[in-house]
Amino acid sequence: MRKFNIRKVLDGLTAVSSSSSASSSSQQQQSGNRESDIPETLQSEHFQLCKTVRHGFPYQPSALAFDPVQKILAIGTQTGALRLFGRPGVECYCQHDSEAAVIQLQFLINEGALVSALADDTLHLWNLRQKRPAILHSLKFNRERITFCHLPFQSKWLYVGTERGNIHIVNVESFTLSGYVIMWNKAIELSSKSHPGPVVHISDNPMDEGKLLIGYESGTVVLWDLKSKKADYRYTHDEAIHSVAWHHEGKQFICSHSDGTLTIWNIKSPAKPLQTITPHGKQLKDGKKPEPCKPILKVEYKTARAGEPFIILSGGLSYDTVGRRPCLTVMHGKSTAVLEMDYSVVDFLTLCETPYPNDFQEPYAVVVLLEKDLVVIDLAQNGYPIFENPYPLNIHESPVTCCEYFADCPVDLIPALYSVGARQKRQGYSKKEWPISGGNWGSVTQSYPEIIITGHADGSIKFWDASAITLQVLYKLKTAKVFEKSRSKDDRPNTDIVDEDPYAIQIISWCPESRMLCIAGVSAHVIIYRFSKQEVTTEVIPMLEVRLLYEINDIDSPDGEQAPPLPTPGTGSNPQSIAPQSHPSTSSSSSDGLRDNVPCLKIKSSPLKQSAGYHIELVIQLVWVSGEPPQQITSLAVNSAYGLVVFGNCNGIAMVDYLQKTVLLNLGTIELYGSNDPYRREPRSPRKSRQPSGAGLCDINEGTTVPEDRCKSPTSGSGSPNNSDDDDQKMNNFIEKVKTKGRKFSKMVANDIAKMSRKLSLPTELKPDLDVRDNSFSRSRSSSVTSIDKESREAISALHFCETFTRKADTSPSPCLWVGTTLGTVLVIVLNLPPGGEQRLSQPVIVSPSGTILRLKGAILRMAFLDTTGSLVPPAREPWREHNVSEDKDEKDKSKKRRPVSVSPSSSSQEISENQYAVICSEKQAKVISLPSQNCIHKQNITETSFVLRGDIVALSNSSCLACFCANGHIMTFSLPSLRPLLDVYYLPLTNMRIARTFCFTNNGQALYLVSPTEIQRITYSQETCENLQEMLGELFTPVETPEAPNRGFFKGLFGGGAQSLDREELFGESASGKASRSLAQHIPGPGGIEGVKGSASGVIGELARARIALDERGQKLGELDERTAAMLSSADSFSKHAHEMMMKYKDKKWYQF
């Protein structure tokens, strides 16, 4: 058997082998090792992947519906998604398989069902009586396009209007077409010489179900008598119709038109409208027609017992109101209120007290669906205030640029964030309860706290309570308020390196235990925050400027600012590259007029008032160097126990002591290696290949912005000490193989990338980082970056503070920083910390190299440490305490709480035991390395042809595992420490960089990503959570009594005039109207019906689903059967009695005596 060379593994020089050969060789190596004795409890059966819940505003909404009895709201989108909302905390997401746009939604009121009409001319019936709604039936129209649907209250016959102007009728129980059709030519007859256009409205007369009002786009309205199959009246108008609404008494209706007018018609006077109103038109004095306005897209006509009716409309503004925001107009009697909206109106609905169309409507609220928001207006209060929206629909208030997810947080954290966030609430909302209040909450089976943090393009950060499967905003932090804002584009400082959103958040580093927060922004700035429950006013904002530049063998350059190499242990801390400053520096230029030593943003010089919550501890900014802008920060880490923050980019690494406000380390990446640099690098002056302003600023996936060939092995393209010709040949073959696969992948996302590359800065759609992840994309980089320069620009991609063994000879762990680079190198820096208390603030922290270098294939993404039992070793951290309390009051607690900083060998070694394991995950592989021996005991090649976008080492079921999301769409988990594959599921192809940028795993089998610019999708990879999910989900449908129908009154009953009912079965049933043409529409059984479940489900869960759906579908029939059975029993009983009596009567008689 081939001898396994550990040295080659450590250097990352072994030829690429398949994951199976890698695991077999690692097994061969570990036989007899005591490392293999660590018991691993996680098995494949502990893992299962499923979506849990989707939060946020439905992206690109297109349709709206409300069930007034169940009080449930439904929103359809242009991508075929369906979102259902009940009371706060009851939400549901469904998806039509075709992904066609939803054009209309119709509830079967109080029936627990919903009909959706799609742009691909399909109708679907959704069953809402189950926790995960499913389609029971579908109907596909083959020859006609659907334009409008109407389902009368308590009817099973759905009217479907088409583009040709015809109306078909669908039985919603069987989802079959009736033979009854209203043809357009029969409806209009000779009233018009031309085709009336598509059907834009259908509704039955509130007082007579036998009369159907049909609105055609051209302006013709027809009142159709269903029984006699002919038109009673035809109403013609010059202007195109957008919508129609009835007065509840059924004697009048109102139309909205394309010229901004409303026409009110009396049903028995078809010649001309009773009244014409132009709500926003200027009335001209000489009796001329008012000027035309924009179309009124929708109108609703609602009556109230006490007071005037409401006419509510969207659109209709005059054309001269340039730049005016979209409006909703509420006309009530003589008053007209114009309510301005932030986005354009997609649809609106008036919520009324009764579901019956023939009663006084009593409107109490209006739900307005906007392009990017949902607004509910209170009609009962003066000034029409809006309700405070309890749903998490404002995730996208500013575009999300990054996400972090923390499960199993300290229990006091959510109440603390909530208490400071409660003070940020806006005032002036309606005092009433939120009107959408249907459904019931699920049972809470997960008890651990979960927090999601989102970073945004405007520099804001939001903390969300994500416990169980809910989402609620806790606290919002505005990081931009520390900087001076430029009033106009011309006023903008010339040091800006991005065109827009200079405060956008790139990376978030947060310690839940100490509550220390650190952010890196797009303008190469880092801000450290400390949590406090008190208000403070900061007179002078503490700040540091760091001059981080990249030079090789160019120490004699005129700048002369380059920091010397790392000092050896014991020589004291590194000389600082620039003196710490407590106020913004003045702009300075070097002798040749280039910008030099100036940061990108200007810090406020005036005092800053900071309310309770996160307070600024320190602002760090990278500065321009000889006309070259600072490079984007690619990695960031903060440690509360050590009082340190560290960050890196493609130029190098900087470490700052935020307690003493000093720069401890400022090095180019190459200098981290010292004399151990495995690469041959060419000298480069910073000016030689200056990037265009802001180049590379748009990759905000933590741990990547170096323009280098990601699919290459770390050693390809640059010489390495002990590389044999044989290995070189294998490497070249491998690279060629990867290139061809990479190109195939590039075609899939090329269009997406072309769109995104046009954007220079961070918001909404960011410029992708695929060009640095895969060789096929490297051509889109700036041509000024040469290939030699590409190889030498090694970025810092991962940082991890820990207390571990730094060298092979170490006998005890000590505080250190592990640094991972984009070329697959891991370096270890030793931290020598002074004792806690006063000495920590007065004595310097000494930073020195350990000489330890480890190698992996691909950029390093994540590092973590395990103890001898295989448990995760958390980084040292300090419990949170109020920072601004007086010293004497807190003196006793201070020494006790500072204990994690203590690093005496004896105590640490007892805590952490005699050895540890480092788990390192790169874009290509994972390794487990035994410490302090630094032997690689396990290795797993995660992917050959793709690359890992996100890797996290997470806790699950009292154990831990490595979870990875690959660019090819696979989600994988591996056991620790043996790296056995436990889960590999093809889940989601990487279609855009938003997913890559926001995907993150956390403890207890949870993960999330931004599925659209406005929505967060949460998923689980834990079998236990998948099993409990059904219980955790809320119930949409709850049994509610339908309100009583309005009373007809004595005189109406005596003389007629009340609501006329209609036996629709008699008209539309097969016996009366015959069968519809088979070619017109095709019936498709849905997966939510019995037929669909039979085919798709298997196992116990499938059986349960079948049983549940069967119960849902047949519950009513069983009720009827029960009654029938009872009746049959009683009749059987009486029959038995009669039979017995007869028998007794004729018992003794002979046959001839009968």
Side-chain angles (χ1 to χ4, degrees), residues 242-243 256 296-300 312-315 347-349:
H242 282 276
S243 75
S256 74
I296 295 175
L297 302 174
K298 185 173 181 180
V299 64
E300 292 208 337
I312 301 162
L313 56 114
S314 64
D347 198 359
F348 73 88
L349 286 173

Side-chain angles (χ1 to χ4, degrees), residues 273-378:
L274 188 71
Q275 194 181 354
T276 302
I277 310 165
T278 312
H280 296 282
K282 289 177 184 170
Q283 297 296 328
L284 302 173
K285 289 177 183 174
D286 49 3
K288 286 182 185 172
K289 269 190 177 179
E291 292 173 6
C293 295
K294 292 174 186 173
I296 295 175
L297 302 174
K298 185 173 181 180
V299 64
E300 292 208 337
Y301 196 5
K302 301 295 178 186
T303 53
R305 267 190 179 81
E308 302 277 344
F310 283 86
I311 296 175
I312 301 162
L313 56 114
S314 64
L317 293 176
S318 61
Y319 282 103
D320 60 3
T321 51
V322 179
R324 189 164 178 186
R325 293 194 294 180
C327 293
L328 186 85
T329 307
V330 180
M331 298 168 72
H332 185 224
K334 290 180 180 175
S335 73
T336 300
V338 180
L339 310 173
E340 287 197 340
M341 302 290 157
D342 291 335
Y343 308 100
S344 54
V345 178
V346 175
D347 198 359
F348 73 88
L349 286 173
T350 310
L351 308 190
C352 301
E353 296 289 355
T354 176
Y356 293 94
N358 59 351
D359 195 8
F360 283 98
Q361 297 298 286
E362 304 295 352
Y364 60 90
V366 185
V367 179
V368 191
L369 178 63
L370 306 175
E371 211 171 36
K372 292 183 182 177
D373 202 2
L374 181 75
V375 175
V376 182
I377 296 157
D378 185 352

Side-chain angles (χ1 to χ4, degrees), residues 1048-1060:
R1048 285 177 72 185
F1050 175 73
F1051 289 105
K1052 279 189 178 173
L1054 195 62
F1055 302 112
Q1060 302 293 313

Side-chain angles (χ1 to χ4, degrees), residues 744-761:
K744 285 177 191 170
F745 177 66
S746 74
K747 283 175 187 170
M748 284 159 45
V749 285
N751 294 339
D752 196 36
I753 283 168
K755 285 177 201 161
M756 289 188 280
S757 298
R758 293 185 199 119
K759 267 259 185 186
L760 184 64
S761 59

